[in-house]
Amino acid sequence: MGVKYIHSTSRWQAAYYKSAEEFVFGPTEPSPNRYSYDITGRNKENNQLDFKAVRRTGDSLSHELGISLQGGLVYNIDTERNGTHYAGEVHYEYQAEHSPWNIKLQAMLYRINPEYDPDSELDYVEMGAYGANYHVSNKGEIYTAGISYHIPVDTKLL
């Protein structure tokens, strides 16, 4: 539940979310029965801010450079205290106007700092989707690269 603003001419977005797909605000655990991953288990995401900006440059605007930032709180059901989470990402995409080739690069880092009980030394959080919870490291860096080739298909079936 939240609000999102998209400024289409200058290509930036900002959003605020009170919670992550949850309408249960009490001390119950978030359900993993969803189609996108969120923090679950004994923690709940709340009061999240997102920001994204994209800039196109080059001949025919074939180069795209973007940045995304996210930050918010992580409520721990056991300690009844909020921790924090934040992430940052930069991406680059090249798509020539009359070329079937596409290249994408991305670098991301994230940190999730729940307010666990002082005696527990957990270095992970539970994330859930598709009916199951998974342990995910509470900090990390992710780098991805992709290349694609568009094959034109001349048929009415697709």
Side-chain angles (χ1 to χ4, degrees), residues 32 37-41 45 112 125-129 132-136:
Y37 284 88
D38 287 306
I39 294 174
T40 56
E45 293 175 82
I112 306 169
V125 294
E126 286 186 56
M127 295 192 84
N133 287 325
Y134 307 91
H135 290 179
V136 175

Side-chain angles (χ1 to χ4, degrees), residues 43 49 52-53 63-64 68 78 85 92 106 116 119-120 123:
N43 294 298
L49 292 170
K52 179 180 178 181
H63 301 273
E64 178 179 289
S68 296
D78 299 324
H85 72 91
Y92 168 79
Q106 176 179 292
Y116 288 127
D119 295 332
S120 66
D123 60 354

Side-chain angles (χ1 to χ4, degrees), residues 86-137:
Y86 61 90
E89 176 269 349
V90 294
H91 75 268
Y92 168 79
E93 181 174 358
Y94 174 73
Q95 175 68 61
E97 186 175 358
H98 298 292
S99 172
W101 292 98
N102 176 273
I103 298 171
K104 295 180 181 181
L105 304 171
Q106 176 179 292
M108 179 183 125
L109 78 86
Y110 71 92
R111 302 289 186 266
I112 306 169
N113 307 302
E115 286 290 333
Y116 288 127
D117 186 286
D119 295 332
S120 66
E121 295 185 22
L122 300 176
D123 60 354
Y124 66 87
V125 294
E126 286 186 56
M127 295 192 84
Y130 306 104
N133 287 325
Y134 307 91
H135 290 179
V136 175
S137 175

